[in-house]
Structures are given as C-alpha cells and as structure tokens.
Amino acid sequence: ASLSHTPTTASKRNKSRPDPLEVSRFSLRLTKSARPRSSFSEIVIASLVDLAKLDKNEWDTLWESVLKIDDVIEKQARARGLMHVDGKKEFGFDEDRDLMLIDTFGTADEDRFWDVKELEENGKMLELSKEAVRQFYRSSGYHKNLMDARDAGASKDEEPAIPALPQNEINKIAGLYKEMYERLTGNQF
C-alpha cells in the first residue's frame, strides 16, 4: 500500500486533496486528521484496511511508521527553514509479511515543502517541490484540457498529450531541485 500523510499545518490549506481519506489504485492516502476521531473516520479506515488486506496490527505499524518518518522530515526541514507540507510513503511486505518501506521519502519529488520565512513574513506559500511543475501545467491550460477530456469520457489514448516543458521552465525546475538538495541535505550540489 502507498500511504501519504499531510501534517496538520497543511491540511487546512491544501484544498486539492480530498479530506480526510482517498482511495486510489489500492493506495491509501491519509492525513493526520484521518486518525479515528469520529465514526466516519473509523468506518473509512476500516474499509481501507480491508481493501489493502491489512490486519489491525499491520495498520497500526504502518501508521506509526508514517508518523515517525514525518517527524524526522519535519524536524530536519524546519531546521533548514522549510515547512514539510505533505508527502508520499510507499510500503510493501516481504515474504514473511514484514512491513518494508519501498521508496524514497523526504525529497522534492515525494514531498512538498514551503519556505518558512516567506510564509511567516509574507503569508506566501512558496512551493519548493515538483508542485512547481503541476502549477505550470495548470497555468498553461493543459490541466483544464485534460480534465475536460476526462469529463467528456475520453479514453487514455484520446487524452491530450502532455506538452514538453519550455526550456526556461526546465531551467527553473533544475535550479529548484539543486536548491532543495542543498537545503535538505546541508551539502553543496
């Protein structure tokens, strides 16, 4: 199962993410607000656990792992002037059904970060992740065209092709990834 967790600080701001739970391709995408606080959350979590074929112990282990990972990311990001907004964690099981983390985490590809200074001083949520690419495609009109095609019932083959990023956008994204490598690791690229 793939689990995504949104720290509480971002859950109110991120309106693009269904709240509190979403099932997608047998992945679990969750926010901290998905902790069982209400009968609705408990019912939805029970359904997701059933869908992913997890027992209660496996669910608890998975959830605790996500919280521990996010605590590490949040602590390191904050020390470098970043706010960890949300991120993806992918888990699987080995042949003995022991939980395994099976992908990277805490990078500009898996997680979203905002600049703390920009947020605190200017109220600006400066995106420092691949979200910049998503925003470009939204502003270019591609995302709207894609959603219109899907709403009209287009098959995958009929969906509009993703246009190549212009060179100036490639340069901006490359610079962003270099900056984020340096900010997240404390090392020079």
Side-chain angles (χ1 to χ4, degrees):
S2 171
L3 190 86
S4 180
H5 161 256
T6 305
T8 308
T9 53
S11 61
K12 293 178 188 133
R13 296 184 185 104
N14 185 2
K15 298 300 180 192
S16 65
R17 175 187 301 277
D19 193 30
L21 301 167
E22 170 192 359
V23 180
S24 175
R25 293 190 213 150
F26 302 101
S27 296
L28 306 179
R29 296 176 87 44
L30 299 157
T31 66
K32 270 189 182 172
S33 63
R35 284 183 172 210
R37 292 188 324 244
S38 66
S39 58
F40 172 77
S41 292
E42 291 170 357
I43 291 167
V44 174
I45 288 173
S47 298
L48 292 172
V49 168
D50 183 57
L51 178 68
K53 307 293 185 229
L54 299 172
D55 64 31
K56 180 168 179 0
N57 184 53
E58 290 168 338
W59 167 259
D60 291 344
T61 301
L62 181 68
W63 188 247
E64 186 60 33
S65 298
V66 168
L67 294 177
K68 285 179 182 178
I69 291 167
D70 273 352
D71 285 345
V72 170
I73 295 170
E74 289 170 19
K75 184 183 288 183
Q76 292 181 357
R78 190 57 76 153
R80 293 183 170 93
L82 298 167
M83 176 184 285
H84 179 237
V85 179
D86 63 14
K88 175 187 75 161
K89 284 89 183 149
E90 292 185 357
F91 294 87
F93 292 100
D94 67 13
E95 60 277 356
D96 297 321
R97 198 147 172 95
D98 290 325
L99 187 67
M100 300 183 314
L101 182 64
I102 58 174
D103 199 2
T104 60
F105 61 85
T107 73
D109 263 358
E110 286 79 23
D111 294 76
R112 292 189 316 145
F113 299 90
W114 293 339
D115 184 271
V116 170
K117 186 176 179 181
E118 279 294 318
L119 185 61
E120 290 175 352
E121 292 180 5
N122 304 316
K124 184 178 178 187
M125 294 172 274
L126 178 62
E127 294 286 354
L128 300 171
S129 67
K130 73 177 179 185
E131 184 64 24
V133 176
R134 288 188 191 103
Q135 289 178 354
F136 170 79
Y137 281 115
R138 285 184 188 277
S139 69
S140 73
Y142 169 75
H143 183 262
K144 180 183 181 326
N145 294 340
L146 175 62
M147 294 299 103
D148 289 348
R150 287 180 178 172
D151 288 345
S155 69
K156 279 279 197 202
D157 294 337
E158 297 168 324
E159 290 179 357
I162 300 172
L165 282 172
Q167 190 59 50
N168 66 321
E169 288 297 316
I170 292 171
N171 295 344
K172 284 192 324 193
I173 301 301
L176 170 64
Y177 272 61
K178 178 181 180 242
E179 174 191 350
M180 288 306 293
Y181 170 83
E182 291 175 350
R183 288 184 75 175
L184 290 168
T185 66
N187 297 320
Q188 193 167 14
F189 187 76

